[in-house]
Amino acid sequence: MKKAIGIFDSGVGGLTVYKAIRNAFPSEDLIYFGDTARVPYGPKSPNTIIEYSLQNARFLLQQGIKILIVACNTSSAVALPAMQTITDIPIIGVIEPGAEQAAKTTKNKRIGIIGTEGTINSEAYPNAIKKLIPEAVIFSVACPLFVPLVEEGWQDHLVTELVVKEYLTNLKMQAIDTLVLGCTHYPLLSKAIQQIMGSEVTLVDSAMAITEYLARYIGSESDKQQGSSTFYVSDNEEKFTQIAERILNDNIKKLIRVRLYESWFQN
Ligand code: DGL
């Protein structure tokens, strides 16, 4: 039987990653899990993020997937090694693909990273970039208000412009030429971010970077049949559907609410 690619995120934001994968690999079956009962992960402690990520990974592994994509930057930054201990299938987080893309993009080796507090505090992006360019100069900024602004649908809103300006004005003065959007939601604010940073700064979207990376594992498409898409959430189906349809510009056809089954908590 054809096995699916499993994708999880703390909520709806990972749909930016789902969308990029769906477009790049139309014949693949995709299973998406959004942990809408426990979002946001960004402000939580590393131990909690690891615990939740392991539970989410186990849930998807129980669906018989062939590859696990960790769309959530915070989980990717903090919990990847822990998840790798529970399975032999490939687990791909967004950090390495994003770091590779940033390293390929920068010319002056001055790179900005923006993300949740969890992602920024972990220093996962700077560590991954420094492996590729040891002399890179990296500036990291946590932008915790970006996630709620996107969830509110305020991509094109004066308040968003002001918040983006507040967070990024100092970063703009650091003469970076590349900025990693290190959070699932931030690609949805790229217009406002680009406006503040100016056209000389290239934005790196880890959702796009991960599809290139994924191609190394699944190769080029041969199956012509359209793959299926199944969505699971741990709470709030209606809100998920509403935001998801806005992000995807498409209808969500198969959405299932799952409860926090005991099996999630097995070691
Ligand atoms: N998915 C998270 C990330 O990419 C953002 C939302 C959250 O804080 O849970 O880091």
Side-chain angles (χ1 to χ4, degrees):
M1 209 186 83
K2 196 174 153 197
K3 285 191 168 182
I5 297 172
I7 306 167
F8 87 76
D9 179 48
S10 53
V12 287
L15 290 171
T16 53
V17 174
Y18 161 86
K19 190 176 179 180
I21 294 175
R22 173 45 77 226
N23 287 340
F25 305 101
S27 70
E28 291 292 334
D29 290 342
L30 303 182
I31 301 178
Y32 181 94
F33 174 70
D35 192 8
T36 47
R38 304 187 291 192
V39 68
Y41 285 11
K44 296 198 166 75
S45 71
N47 281 346
T48 300
I49 296 161
I50 290 172
E51 192 183 312
Y52 290 178
S53 303
L54 283 173
Q55 291 159 4
N56 302 341
R58 279 195 195 101
F59 170 73
L60 286 172
L61 290 169
Q62 284 164 8
Q63 316 308 310
I65 55 170
K66 60 179 177 185
I67 296 177
L68 175 62
I69 305 290
V70 183
C72 179
N73 286 252
T74 311
S75 288
S76 300
V78 174
L80 216 57
M83 286 184 273
Q84 271 152 351
T85 64
I86 63 166
T87 179
D88 292 331
I89 67 162
I91 304 187
I92 306 174
V94 279
I95 307 291
E96 239 180 86
E100 258 187 30
Q101 193 63 43
K104 267 195 250 165
T105 306
T106 188
K107 301 221 159 35
N108 71 1
K109 299 179 185 163
R110 296 174 72 82
I111 299 170
I113 313 285
I114 51 176
T116 65
E117 289 157 288
T119 300
I120 298 303
N121 291 341
S122 75
E123 299 198 2
Y125 272 113
N127 290 340
I129 292 171
K130 291 230 172 189
K131 270 191 203 154
L132 303 168
I133 313 179
E135 68 279 22
V137 184
I138 297 171
F139 302 88
S140 303
V141 181
C143 308
L145 289 178
F146 285 4
V147 167
L149 287 170
V150 169
E151 304 230 334
E152 200 58 37
W154 284 10
Q155 277 98 311
D156 294 305
H157 197 290
L158 183 61
V159 169
T160 304
E161 270 174 43
L162 293 173
V163 173
V164 170
K165 197 169 175 188
E166 180 67 30
Y167 280 130
L168 301 187
T169 299
N170 281 342
L171 192 57
K172 188 177 163 49
M173 301 201 285
Q174 306 305 330
I176 58 168
D177 70 353
T178 304
L179 176 61
V180 178
L181 307 180
C183 175
T184 46
H185 291 60
Y186 298 2
L188 299 164
L189 295 179
S190 49
K191 199 172 127 206
I193 295 170
Q194 190 80 70
Q195 217 160 31
I196 297 295
M197 296 310 293
S199 55
E200 59 286 3
V201 174
T202 304
L203 305 185
V204 170
D205 174 350
S206 26
M208 300 311 289
I210 206 165
T211 56
E212 250 181 62
Y213 208 82
L214 184 56
R216 297 178 201 165
Y217 288 82
I218 54 178
S220 56
E221 293 252 316
S222 52
D223 194 344
K224 293 279 169 288
Q225 221 183 340
Q226 173 71 36
S228 65
S229 294
T230 308
F231 298 90
Y232 291 95
V233 291
S234 49
D235 198 8
N236 256 325
E237 300 95 302
E238 298 78 22
K239 185 156 184 236
F240 179 88
T241 305
Q242 192 193 335
I243 305 178
E245 293 188 343
R246 198 173 66 219
I247 293 176
L248 300 177
N249 209 8
D250 195 8
N251 291 336
I252 297 283
K253 291 174 197 83
K254 192 169 172 196
L255 174 67
I256 302 160
R257 153 100 193 272
V258 286
R259 295 187 182 277
L260 304 187
Y261 292 116
E262 277 184 9
S263 57
W264 285 25
F265 299 92
Q266 284 164 10
N267 284 315

